[in-house]
Amino acid sequence: AMTAARTVMKAVRVFEFGGPEVLKLQSDVLVPVPKENQVLIKVHVCGVNPVETYIRSGTYARKPALPYIPGSDVAGVIEGVGEHVTAFKEGDRVFTLETVSGGYAEYAVAAANRVYPLPDKLDFRQGAAIGVPYFTAYRALFQKGCAKAGESVLVHGASGGVGLAACQIARACGLKVLGTAGTEEGMNVILRNGAHQAFNHRDPDYIERIKKCTGPGGVDIIIEMLSNVNLDADLQLLSPAGRVMVVGCRGRIEINPRDTMSKESSIIGVSLFLATEEERRECAAAVLDGIEAGWLKPVVGSEYPLDKVAKAHEDIICCPGAQGKMVLLL
């Protein structure tokens, strides 16, 4: 079936590290061919994650070989399969956690064990909002944060992709969920997606309000999207043996390590990139179960066509008040 398929596609490529302007849309990129244990996906929608802007700028720990196509979580339809692939066939609706060839493209090759069935109850836009956000949120809460039903969690920056995923998962698993956002709409979206209470982090005394809400016990777990701004304050909010899960960071911050001693609290980094195959399978099982049960409902935020990808990269960093997951529509 592959022989009749197109040989070239539109894709966004990066030839040098730098600002959003280095994202080049080209229409004559060769369609990749799936090798063994890989599948070819016709991409309908691709998610945009902040980490993709860090990689593009060249300041991140991971530097792909140039030129490369960014993008890891796509949703679409299986177009072809490589040897030994039995889990998927042509025509299957799927979403991915990562791709081999890059997701900002009309077609993408992915390893079959990073591809998951997309249930009919979710559309492709929602499918592109699952991979990185939900797997990261699950890893932060349970694999690294050891969250338990009955504990309290503060999602610091809860209205973006990972934040809303964390709110939905934590609520479904019996935690008391507090969230912060920067706008009224952001606070409303958090409350609609599992948070028991929402706080505006632009409010000068919002930390005091959170303290009033948690009482002297403090909060057990903080899922932290902007640790370079919030980490010092987070340490004041924790309960004894509380933990801050560092999911996002955009710079440096000064803290007093003594704050961890007085509560025997922990600061724990979270990187989905370091998950083992077994851990990824556990995340996938939890996520697919949540879709099946109906509480896992990805919230799609801003949508951009492929030719506005530079604007998308600018907005995801500069525009505060995210509401859901940013996606590229193909």
Side-chain angles (χ1 to χ4, degrees), residues 69-289:
I69 300 173
S72 64
D73 27 22
V74 306
V77 174
I78 299 282
E79 180 88 3
V81 299
E83 282 183 277
H84 312 312
V85 174
T86 53
F88 300 102
K89 61 184 187 313
E90 213 176 311
D92 287 352
R93 288 163 43 96
V94 294
F95 71 93
T96 67
L97 181 59
E98 53 193 62
T99 67
V100 174
S101 61
Y104 294 10
E106 290 181 295
Y107 293 88
V109 159
N113 64 356
R114 303 283 192 280
V115 176
Y116 308 94
L118 180 64
D120 288 337
K121 63 169 83 167
L122 298 182
D123 64 27
F124 290 121
R125 290 152 59 255
Q126 291 172 303
I130 301 171
V132 171
Y134 282 87
F135 282 54
T136 300
Y138 184 86
R139 182 169 181 77
L141 282 162
F142 298 106
Q143 293 178 338
K144 295 292 163 189
C146 304
K148 291 184 180 51
E151 288 192 309
S152 57
V153 59
L154 168 66
V155 184
H156 218 155
S159 61
V162 179
L164 288 171
C167 288
Q168 289 179 2
I169 295 171
R171 179 66 179 252
C173 295
L175 282 94
K176 180 180 181 188
V177 185
L178 313 177
T180 76
T183 62
E184 199 63 42
E185 301 81 30
M187 288 166 68
N188 289 333
V189 89
I190 295 171
L191 290 168
R192 284 200 302 274
N193 285 281
H196 291 88
Q197 287 198 260
F199 303 87
N200 190 328
H201 52 219
R202 296 185 194 290
D203 190 339
D205 62 346
Y206 86 101
I207 297 283
E208 289 312 311
R209 292 188 180 189
I210 294 173
K211 281 184 180 161
K212 208 170 278 169
C213 176
T214 61
V219 65
D220 297 305
I221 303 168
I222 298 176
I223 307 289
E224 183 50 72
M225 311 304 165
L226 197 59
S227 46
N228 53 299
V229 171
N230 300 324
L231 187 57
D232 186 50
D234 287 343
L235 294 176
Q236 324 297 322
L237 289 171
L238 286 178
S239 65
R243 46 265 185 225
V244 181
M245 311 309 300
V246 178
V247 171
C249 183
R250 296 182 183 175
R252 303 177 68 87
I253 185 172
E254 192 172 304
I255 62 164
N256 184 349
R258 186 168 290 285
D259 293 338
T260 65
M261 294 162 64
S262 54
K263 294 173 177 169
E264 292 194 324
S265 57
S266 313
I267 301 166
I268 302 169
V270 180
S271 170
L272 187 55
F273 190 65
L274 296 176
T276 63
E277 183 58 43
E278 195 183 346
E279 286 173 327
R280 267 191 302 269
R281 276 202 296 269
E282 185 197 343
C283 287
V287 162
L288 293 168
D289 191 49

